[in-house]
PDB file of all heavy atoms in Angstrom:
ATOM      1  N   SER A 194     -13.579   9.312  19.124  1.00 98.00           N
ATOM      2  CA  SER A 194     -12.515   9.713  20.051  1.00 98.00           C
ATOM      3  C   SER A 194     -13.178  10.720  21.046  1.00 98.00           C
ATOM      4  O   SER A 194     -14.290  11.126  20.850  1.00 98.00           O
ATOM      5  CB  SER A 194     -11.350  10.427  19.295  1.00 98.00           C
ATOM      6  OG  SER A 194     -11.784  11.766  18.923  1.00 98.00           O
ATOM      7  N   PRO A 195     -12.466  11.181  22.082  1.00 98.00           N
ATOM      8  CA  PRO A 195     -13.026  12.162  23.002  1.00 98.00           C
ATOM      9  C   PRO A 195     -13.295  13.483  22.360  1.00 98.00           C
ATOM     10  O   PRO A 195     -13.859  14.370  22.999  1.00 98.00           O
ATOM     11  CB  PRO A 195     -11.950  12.300  24.102  1.00 98.00           C
ATOM     12  CG  PRO A 195     -11.163  10.982  24.019  1.00 98.00           C
ATOM     13  CD  PRO A 195     -11.099  10.663  22.529  1.00 98.00           C
ATOM     14  N   ASP A 196     -12.911  13.703  21.083  1.00 98.00           N
ATOM     15  CA  ASP A 196     -13.288  14.911  20.374  1.00 98.00           C
ATOM     16  C   ASP A 196     -14.746  14.892  20.023  1.00 98.00           C
ATOM     17  O   ASP A 196     -15.344  15.999  19.835  1.00 98.00           O
ATOM     18  CB  ASP A 196     -12.512  14.992  19.034  1.00 98.00           C
ATOM     19  CG  ASP A 196     -11.164  15.643  19.222  1.00 98.00           C
ATOM     20  OD1 ASP A 196     -10.765  16.033  20.306  1.00 98.00           O
ATOM     21  OD2 ASP A 196     -10.481  15.808  18.149  1.00 98.00           O
ATOM     22  N   GLY A 197     -15.357  13.739  19.820  1.00 98.00           N
ATOM     23  CA  GLY A 197     -16.743  13.707  19.248  1.00 98.00           C
ATOM     24  C   GLY A 197     -17.698  13.036  20.214  1.00 98.00           C
ATOM     25  O   GLY A 197     -18.766  12.548  19.711  1.00 98.00           O
ATOM     26  N   CYS A 198     -17.363  12.977  21.479  1.00 98.00           N
ATOM     27  CA  CYS A 198     -18.300  12.316  22.461  1.00 98.00           C
ATOM     28  C   CYS A 198     -18.197  13.147  23.779  1.00 98.00           C
ATOM     29  O   CYS A 198     -17.239  13.879  23.923  1.00 98.00           O
ATOM     30  CB  CYS A 198     -18.070  10.913  22.699  1.00 98.00           C
ATOM     31  SG  CYS A 198     -16.527  10.513  23.541  1.00 98.00           S
ATOM     32  N   ARG A 199     -19.114  12.920  24.668  1.00 98.00           N
ATOM     33  CA  ARG A 199     -18.993  13.494  26.022  1.00 98.00           C
ATOM     34  C   ARG A 199     -18.882  12.370  27.016  1.00 98.00           C
ATOM     35  O   ARG A 199     -19.717  11.368  26.929  1.00 98.00           O
ATOM     36  CB  ARG A 199     -20.188  14.403  26.429  1.00 98.00           C
ATOM     37  CG  ARG A 199     -20.136  15.740  25.670  1.00 98.00           C
ATOM     38  CD  ARG A 199     -21.109  16.709  26.245  1.00 98.00           C
ATOM     39  NE  ARG A 199     -20.958  18.016  25.612  1.00 98.00           N
ATOM     40  CZ  ARG A 199     -21.681  18.372  24.548  1.00 98.00           C
ATOM     41  NH1 ARG A 199     -22.645  17.660  24.050  1.00 98.00           N
ATOM     42  NH2 ARG A 199     -21.426  19.606  23.987  1.00 98.00           N
ATOM     43  N   LEU A 200     -17.872  12.370  27.884  1.00 99.00           N
ATOM     44  CA  LEU A 200     -17.703  11.371  28.878  1.00 99.00           C
ATOM     45  C   LEU A 200     -17.454  12.048  30.239  1.00 99.00           C
ATOM     46  O   LEU A 200     -16.611  12.924  30.334  1.00 99.00           O
ATOM     47  CB  LEU A 200     -16.458  10.474  28.527  1.00 99.00           C
ATOM     48  CG  LEU A 200     -16.640   9.556  27.341  1.00 99.00           C
ATOM     49  CD1 LEU A 200     -15.271   9.154  26.809  1.00 99.00           C
ATOM     50  CD2 LEU A 200     -17.426   8.320  27.738  1.00 99.00           C
ATOM     51  N   TRP A 201     -18.256  11.623  31.221  1.00 98.00           N
ATOM     52  CA  TRP A 201     -18.091  12.253  32.586  1.00 98.00           C
ATOM     53  C   TRP A 201     -17.649  11.124  33.563  1.00 98.00           C
ATOM     54  O   TRP A 201     -18.112   9.930  33.396  1.00 98.00           O
ATOM     55  CB  TRP A 201     -19.457  12.792  33.100  1.00 98.00           C
ATOM     56  CG  TRP A 201     -19.919  13.961  32.300  1.00 98.00           C
ATOM     57  CD1 TRP A 201     -19.333  14.686  31.306  1.00 98.00           C
ATOM     58  CD2 TRP A 201     -21.273  14.510  32.377  1.00 98.00           C
ATOM     59  NE1 TRP A 201     -20.160  15.646  30.838  1.00 98.00           N
ATOM     60  CE2 TRP A 201     -21.381  15.572  31.486  1.00 98.00           C
ATOM     61  CE3 TRP A 201     -22.395  14.223  33.159  1.00 98.00           C
ATOM     62  CZ2 TRP A 201     -22.537  16.312  31.334  1.00 98.00           C
ATOM     63  CZ3 TRP A 201     -23.567  14.962  33.041  1.00 98.00           C
ATOM     64  CH2 TRP A 201     -23.631  16.038  32.130  1.00 98.00           C
ATOM     65  N   ASP A 202     -16.897  11.486  34.542  1.00 98.00           N
ATOM     66  CA  ASP A 202     -16.621  10.557  35.583  1.00 98.00           C
ATOM     67  C   ASP A 202     -17.883  10.173  36.260  1.00 98.00           C
ATOM     68  O   ASP A 202     -18.741  11.075  36.636  1.00 98.00           O
ATOM     69  CB  ASP A 202     -15.585  11.157  36.616  1.00 98.00           C
ATOM     70  CG  ASP A 202     -15.262  10.174  37.697  1.00 98.00           C
ATOM     71  OD1 ASP A 202     -14.279   9.459  37.535  1.00 98.00           O
ATOM     72  OD2 ASP A 202     -15.957  10.141  38.731  1.00 98.00           O
ATOM     73  N   SER A 203     -18.155   8.861  36.523  1.00 98.00           N
ATOM     74  CA  SER A 203     -19.468   8.418  37.059  1.00 98.00           C
ATOM     75  C   SER A 203     -19.725   8.990  38.446  1.00 98.00           C
ATOM     76  O   SER A 203     -20.828   9.300  38.778  1.00 98.00           O
ATOM     77  CB  SER A 203     -19.528   6.863  37.131  1.00 98.00           C
ATOM     78  OG  SER A 203     -19.174   6.317  35.950  1.00 98.00           O
ATOM     79  N   LYS A 204     -18.660   9.125  39.257  1.00 98.00           N
ATOM     80  CA  LYS A 204     -18.845   9.543  40.652  1.00 98.00           C
ATOM     81  C   LYS A 204     -18.906  11.026  40.770  1.00 98.00           C
ATOM     82  O   LYS A 204     -19.774  11.590  41.309  1.00 98.00           O
ATOM     83  CB  LYS A 204     -17.723   8.973  41.572  1.00 98.00           C
ATOM     84  CG  LYS A 204     -17.865   7.453  41.850  1.00 98.00           C
ATOM     85  CD  LYS A 204     -17.185   7.157  43.169  1.00 98.00           C
ATOM     86  CE  LYS A 204     -17.247   5.674  43.370  1.00 98.00           C
ATOM     87  NZ  LYS A 204     -16.087   4.936  42.742  1.00 98.00           N
ATOM     88  N   THR A 205     -17.860  11.694  40.189  1.00 98.00           N
ATOM     89  CA  THR A 205     -17.688  13.153  40.391  1.00 98.00           C
ATOM     90  C   THR A 205     -18.397  13.944  39.314  1.00 98.00           C
ATOM     91  O   THR A 205     -18.595  15.174  39.451  1.00 98.00           O
ATOM     92  CB  THR A 205     -16.242  13.518  40.411  1.00 98.00           C
ATOM     93  OG1 THR A 205     -15.731  13.263  39.081  1.00 98.00           O
ATOM     94  CG2 THR A 205     -15.472  12.699  41.381  1.00 98.00           C
ATOM     95  N   ARG A 206     -18.687  13.333  38.182  1.00 98.00           N
ATOM     96  CA  ARG A 206     -19.373  13.935  37.023  1.00 98.00           C
ATOM     97  C   ARG A 206     -18.343  14.952  36.355  1.00 98.00           C
ATOM     98  O   ARG A 206     -18.762  15.832  35.634  1.00 98.00           O
ATOM     99  CB  ARG A 206     -20.637  14.605  37.328  1.00 98.00           C
ATOM    100  CG  ARG A 206     -21.712  13.624  37.830  1.00 98.00           C
ATOM    101  CD  ARG A 206     -23.053  13.960  37.348  1.00 98.00           C
ATOM    102  NE  ARG A 206     -23.867  12.832  37.107  1.00 98.00           N
ATOM    103  CZ  ARG A 206     -24.919  12.773  36.364  1.00 98.00           C
ATOM    104  NH1 ARG A 206     -25.405  13.868  35.801  1.00 98.00           N
ATOM    105  NH2 ARG A 206     -25.632  11.654  36.135  1.00 98.00           N
ATOM    106  N   GLU A 207     -17.036  14.834  36.717  1.00 98.00           N
ATOM    107  CA  GLU A 207     -16.065  15.635  36.027  1.00 98.00           C
ATOM    108  C   GLU A 207     -16.050  15.378  34.538  1.00 98.00           C
ATOM    109  O   GLU A 207     -16.206  14.216  34.065  1.00 98.00           O
ATOM    110  CB  GLU A 207     -14.671  15.330  36.598  1.00 98.00           C
ATOM    111  CG  GLU A 207     -13.564  16.228  36.045  1.00 98.00           C
ATOM    112  CD  GLU A 207     -12.127  15.783  36.439  1.00 98.00           C
ATOM    113  OE1 GLU A 207     -12.024  14.762  37.136  1.00 98.00           O
ATOM    114  OE2 GLU A 207     -11.247  16.487  36.065  1.00 98.00           O
ATOM    115  N   LYS A 208     -15.939  16.484  33.739  1.00 98.00           N
ATOM    116  CA  LYS A 208     -15.890  16.350  32.275  1.00 98.00           C
ATOM    117  C   LYS A 208     -14.537  15.921  31.842  1.00 98.00           C
ATOM    118  O   LYS A 208     -13.603  16.490  32.184  1.00 98.00           O
ATOM    119  CB  LYS A 208     -16.288  17.686  31.610  1.00 98.00           C
ATOM    120  CG  LYS A 208     -17.735  18.079  31.894  1.00 98.00           C
ATOM    121  CD  LYS A 208     -18.113  19.400  31.456  1.00 98.00           C
ATOM    122  CE  LYS A 208     -19.596  19.588  31.716  1.00 98.00           C
ATOM    123  NZ  LYS A 208     -20.076  20.940  31.572  1.00 98.00           N
ATOM    124  N   LEU A 209     -14.471  14.807  31.060  1.00 98.00           N
ATOM    125  CA  LEU A 209     -13.178  14.258  30.684  1.00 98.00           C
ATOM    126  C   LEU A 209     -12.890  14.419  29.151  1.00 98.00           C
ATOM    127  O   LEU A 209     -11.849  13.991  28.711  1.00 98.00           O
ATOM    128  CB  LEU A 209     -13.102  12.730  31.046  1.00 98.00           C
ATOM    129  CG  LEU A 209     -13.378  12.392  32.499  1.00 98.00           C
ATOM    130  CD1 LEU A 209     -13.572  10.925  32.686  1.00 98.00           C
ATOM    131  CD2 LEU A 209     -12.195  12.934  33.328  1.00 98.00           C
ATOM    132  N   ASP A 210     -13.885  14.881  28.408  1.00 98.00           N
ATOM    133  CA  ASP A 210     -13.816  14.966  26.958  1.00 98.00           C
ATOM    134  C   ASP A 210     -13.444  16.312  26.420  1.00 98.00           C
ATOM    135  O   ASP A 210     -12.902  17.165  27.098  1.00 98.00           O
ATOM    136  CB  ASP A 210     -15.180  14.536  26.453  1.00 98.00           C
ATOM    137  CG  ASP A 210     -16.226  15.504  27.082  1.00 98.00           C
ATOM    138  OD1 ASP A 210     -16.431  16.607  26.617  1.00 98.00           O
ATOM    139  OD2 ASP A 210     -16.833  15.045  28.113  1.00 98.00           O
ATOM    140  N   LYS A 211     -13.784  16.528  25.108  1.00 98.00           N
ATOM    141  CA  LYS A 211     -13.433  17.782  24.465  1.00 98.00           C
ATOM    142  C   LYS A 211     -14.105  19.034  25.099  1.00 98.00           C
ATOM    143  O   LYS A 211     -13.638  20.123  24.819  1.00 98.00           O
ATOM    144  CB  LYS A 211     -13.755  17.708  22.992  1.00 98.00           C
ATOM    145  CG  LYS A 211     -13.146  18.799  22.142  1.00 98.00           C
ATOM    146  CD  LYS A 211     -13.424  18.593  20.722  1.00 98.00           C
ATOM    147  CE  LYS A 211     -13.008  19.755  19.907  1.00 98.00           C
ATOM    148  NZ  LYS A 211     -13.385  19.530  18.474  1.00 98.00           N
ATOM    149  N   ASP A 212     -15.084  18.866  25.881  1.00 98.00           N
ATOM    150  CA  ASP A 212     -15.616  20.089  26.605  1.00 98.00           C
ATOM    151  C   ASP A 212     -14.585  20.678  27.477  1.00 98.00           C
ATOM    152  O   ASP A 212     -14.659  21.889  27.784  1.00 98.00           O
ATOM    153  CB  ASP A 212     -16.875  19.635  27.479  1.00 98.00           C
ATOM    154  CG  ASP A 212     -18.182  19.715  26.677  1.00 98.00           C
ATOM    155  OD1 ASP A 212     -18.149  20.226  25.557  1.00 98.00           O
ATOM    156  OD2 ASP A 212     -19.203  19.227  27.199  1.00 98.00           O
ATOM    157  N   ARG A 213     -13.489  19.963  27.903  1.00 98.00           N
ATOM    158  CA  ARG A 213     -12.400  20.567  28.589  1.00 98.00           C
ATOM    159  C   ARG A 213     -11.716  21.645  27.768  1.00 98.00           C
ATOM    160  O   ARG A 213     -11.308  22.643  28.247  1.00 98.00           O
ATOM    161  CB  ARG A 213     -11.294  19.535  29.034  1.00 98.00           C
ATOM    162  CG  ARG A 213     -11.855  18.445  29.947  1.00 98.00           C
ATOM    163  CD  ARG A 213     -10.815  17.670  30.650  1.00 98.00           C
ATOM    164  NE  ARG A 213     -10.138  18.582  31.629  1.00 98.00           N
ATOM    165  CZ  ARG A 213     -10.572  18.759  32.837  1.00 98.00           C
ATOM    166  NH1 ARG A 213     -11.665  18.190  33.300  1.00 98.00           N
ATOM    167  NH2 ARG A 213      -9.896  19.630  33.606  1.00 98.00           N
TER     168      ARG A 213
END
Side-chain angles (χ1 to χ4, degrees):
S194 75
D196 272 2
C198 68
R199 289 193 173 94
L200 287 161
W201 295 350
D202 181 90
S203 308
K204 285 208 184 85
T205 64
R206 298 217 146 196
E207 183 188 3
K208 292 173 178 166
L209 302 170
D210 53 80
K211 193 175 171 184
D212 273 349
R213 298 198 69 82

